[in-house]
Amino acid sequence: MLEQYRPAVLAALKFSKLTLGTVAPQFTGVSIIDGDAKSITMELDMQWDGNPNIILDIRTHLGVGLPIQVKNIGFTGVFRFVFRPLVDEIPCFGAISFSLRENKNLDFKLKVIGGDISSIPGISDAIEETIRDAIADSITWPVRQVIPIIPGDYSYLELKPVGTLEVKLVQAKELTNKDIIGKSDPYAVLFIRPVRSRMKTSKVINNQLNPIWNENFDFIVEDETTQHLTVRVFDDEGVQASELIGCAQFSLKELEPGKVKDVWLKLVKDLQIQRDNKNRGQVQLELLYCPQGTENAVMNPFTRDFRLTKLEKALKSEPDEKEDTDPTSGKRKDVILRGVLSVTVISAEDLPAVDLMGKSDPFVVLIMRKTEQKQKTRVVHNSLDPVWNQTFDFVVEDALHDLLLVEVYDHDTFGKDKMGRVVMTLTRVTLEGELTEAFPIDGTKSGKISLHLKWTSQPIFRD
């Protein structure tokens, strides 16, 4: 079991000793949960301050082998037992399912036998994370262990997918710098369940505290009412263990099926114990949850012309007759969302004073990130609240994978000074068709830029 949660920094992770000691767990409370007529659900509060003897043998990629003792384990939590199905023969239930419904507290210490664990940076955090991940994923609800009591087929009691979560990892800003020379080289790891095969890793953005990833991932959802999406942002250290910049979690129950949600998540050091209030930065995601069996029926909330099956896939609601529209065929056409994006740069307000005279000479550069098309407004002299009212058109080949960068500069005789920027996906404008809004400018204290965006679509279908 440990092997599937083994962090990338370790070449091997095994038990060399595992005894649970002589102290039994205490059950401090029991309750019966109201359920249906086919099962009985019981919850037990459990506390365990054990004296186990657990020694892990680890080996790093550099060939260093270490025996690590897991000590001073303290645990409190709530276990859930489901007796199902109820039957006429003794013991009156066919199988029992159990899981950890709530992990209230899990404390332990790691000690290198005959050495100091802090002498190998990153190892302690990686092992602690592995132990917590293994517990979270192997027995924490909605994961459950099913034990047959009376022989029979109980596969229907096991965990099954209920939908898909589509995630666009857009960007992060104001990340903590972990490097002494230069800046951090951030990348993100995203998952719902912390099994290596189901975790997604972004590309590394070198020497950047405000990285733009613009990457898309999808995840299997097994219980949208209790599961979370977890994001961990690391600083890539090459051959050494990556250093955690911060992590964040988003509860899937906050999503409305079929509706895209744009979220900024604040990064923290630890999701279990809030050890400090240090600012570690924020990460921006676009999320879409599609329940199983409804992917082709989730209507785009803004227009009748498209069905939104995924953030990445849109289907015309009235396909050409010659196209294969039989839902049982298993074929589905992806859409490259192509069209023209019209951007009107209206005005800005509360820009920072860059010039010595307490004013600025602002202008705006618009960039389509994928195709690197650029357009530039005129310079407005001596103003912190400039008005441009200039419109630019961009031919966009693949809107669902592209980004619009809006960069605000101060014009100078000897060059230009960057004031700040706005990074936006095209998801919202492709859904709504048209929007006008004042966007906060990252890099300024309170600056905003007003834009009018209009999308004229020309979808192309491909197999």
Side-chain angles (χ1 to χ4, degrees):
M1 185 197 259
L2 272 184
E3 180 57 27
Q4 63 179 324
Y5 305 103
R6 174 174 57 82
V9 67
L10 297 180
L13 176 63
K14 294 188 170 111
F15 286 110
S16 68
K17 243 180 211 173
L18 175 58
T19 60
L20 294 180
T22 56
V23 178
Q26 291 180 300
F27 291 99
T28 56
V30 59
S31 58
I32 302 294
I33 308 301
D34 288 337
D36 56 29
K38 297 178 182 174
S39 65
I40 293 172
T41 301
M42 179 186 291
E43 291 194 345
L44 296 172
D45 292 281
M46 192 186 100
Q47 184 175 338
W48 186 49
D49 294 303
N51 60 343
N53 186 5
I54 301 173
I55 297 175
L56 298 168
D57 269 348
I58 70 161
R59 197 172 73 251
T60 68
H61 290 291
L62 300 173
V64 179
L66 292 170
I68 291 183
Q69 187 175 15
V70 185
K71 314 176 50 176
N72 302 353
I73 293 181
F75 172 79
T76 54
V78 180
F79 275 90
R80 173 176 284 184
F81 296 89
V82 181
F83 303 90
R84 183 186 181 105
L86 300 181
V87 293
D88 292 334
E89 58 185 292
I90 298 294
C92 301
F93 54 89
I96 181 168
S97 311
F98 74 89
S99 63
L100 175 62
R101 189 182 66 73
E102 186 184 355
N103 178 356
K104 290 184 177 176
N105 184 47
L106 170 64
D107 266 340
F108 55 86
K109 283 196 169 58
L110 300 173
K111 181 179 184 298
V112 175
I113 297 172
D116 180 10
I117 197 162
S118 62
S119 61
I120 305 177
I123 293 292
S124 176
D125 286 348
I127 294 171
E128 184 172 331
E129 199 175 88
T130 300
I131 292 171
R132 292 186 187 280
D133 282 353
I135 290 167
D137 190 65
S138 58
I139 58 166
T140 303
W141 184 267
V143 179
R144 75 285 307 255
Q145 304 292 330
V146 180
I147 301 168
I149 302 297
I150 296 170
D153 179 13
Y154 301 108
S155 58
Y156 65 93
L157 297 177
E158 291 169 1
L159 197 59
K160 290 190 171 56
V162 296
T164 306
L165 178 70
E166 302 296 326
V167 179
K168 184 189 279 280
L169 172 66
V170 183
Q171 63 171 330
K173 64 180 181 183
E174 299 164 8
L175 295 180
T176 306
N177 192 7
K178 293 289 185 180
D179 290 358
I180 298 166
I181 300 167
K183 296 174 182 172
S184 295
D185 307 312
Y187 69 92
V189 176
L190 301 92
F191 59 87
I192 291 177
R193 289 180 57 184
V195 189
R196 259 183 309 158
S197 60
R198 292 173 63 167
M199 297 168 87
K200 307 293 172 72
T201 303
S202 77
K203 57 181 179 280
V204 176
I205 308 288
N206 290 322
N207 201 35
Q208 182 60 258
L209 300 180
N210 299 289
I212 298 173
W213 287 289
N214 192 32
E215 292 186 62
N216 306 283
F217 307 100
D218 54 81
F219 299 90
I220 295 167
V221 177
E222 282 121 344
D223 184 356
E224 76 282 6
T225 61
T226 60
Q227 287 185 310
H228 298 79
L229 174 71
T230 302
V231 184
R232 291 176 182 158
V233 180
F234 294 91
D235 174 28
D236 182 48
E237 297 286 359
V239 294
Q240 295 181 21
S242 295
E243 194 172 354
L244 180 71
I245 295 173
C247 50
Q249 238 177 22
F250 184 84
S251 174
L252 302 191
K253 68 183 178 189
E254 293 181 38
L255 295 175
E256 190 179 326
K259 197 161 186 179
V260 177
K261 191 174 181 74
D262 186 350
V263 296
W264 279 96
L265 303 179
K266 185 175 183 286
L267 296 174
V268 295
K269 185 175 183 180
D270 191 308
L271 293 169
Q272 269 78 34
I273 311 157
Q274 300 296 336
R275 294 176 190 168
D276 60 27
N277 295 316
K278 185 179 171 187
N279 180 33
R280 297 173 180 276
Q282 300 178 68
V283 63
Q284 183 189 9
L285 306 170
E286 277 186 355
L287 306 169
L288 173 67
Y289 173 60
C290 289
Q292 202 168 46
T294 66
E295 290 93 338
N296 289 324
V298 174
M299 292 301 296
N300 179 322
F302 301 109
T303 168
R304 294 177 184 173
D305 295 334
F306 290 94
R307 280 192 182 149
L308 190 67
T309 58
K310 291 182 168 186
L311 217 54
E312 300 310 307
K313 291 177 182 172
L315 288 176
K316 251 188 351 183
S317 54
E318 294 178 13
D320 296 339
E321 288 180 16
K322 60 187 176 186
E323 288 179 2
D324 184 1
T325 57
D326 179 9
T328 61
S329 70
K331 292 180 183 175
R332 188 165 69 180
K333 292 186 183 297
D334 286 4
V335 170
I336 305 173
L337 211 53
R338 181 185 180 191
V340 176
L341 177 68
S342 296
V343 183
T344 302
V345 183
I346 303 168
S347 61
E349 58 186 75
D350 291 337
L351 294 181
V354 179
D355 297 348
L356 296 173
M357 305 297 289
K359 294 284 185 181
S360 295
D361 305 315
F363 68 96
V364 177
V365 177
L366 303 172
I367 305 165
M368 294 308 302
R369 184 173 172 86
K370 203 170 181 188
T371 55
E372 297 182 346
Q373 299 174 68
K374 285 188 184 181
Q375 300 276 14
K376 190 167 77 171
T377 68
R378 65 179 179 275
V379 177
V380 177
H381 293 284
N382 297 321
S383 177
L384 301 181
D385 301 292
V387 176
W388 290 284
N389 277 324
Q390 287 182 263
T391 301
F392 306 94
D393 289 341
F394 296 93
V395 176
V396 180
E397 292 296 333
D398 192 358
L400 295 177
H401 290 87
D402 217 335
L403 284 177
L404 174 66
L405 303 185
V406 182
E407 298 182 338
V408 184
Y409 290 92
D410 172 53
H411 182 265
D412 206 344
T413 311
F414 304 105
K416 59 185 181 181
D417 296 318
K418 189 171 181 178
M419 294 182 181
R421 73 177 183 188
V422 178
V423 178
M424 65 179 78
T425 69
L426 305 187
T427 309
R428 194 174 148 207
V429 70
T430 54
L431 292 178
E432 297 187 29
E434 203 166 345
L435 62 98
T436 304
E437 196 167 313
F439 297 91
I441 302 170
D442 288 337
T444 67
K445 197 171 181 181
S446 58
K448 289 187 174 181
I449 186 164
S450 295
L451 303 171
H452 174 79
L453 304 171
K454 186 178 180 183
W455 175 253
T456 309
S457 182
Q458 301 170 330
I460 304 168
F461 289 86
R462 66 178 175 195
D463 288 328

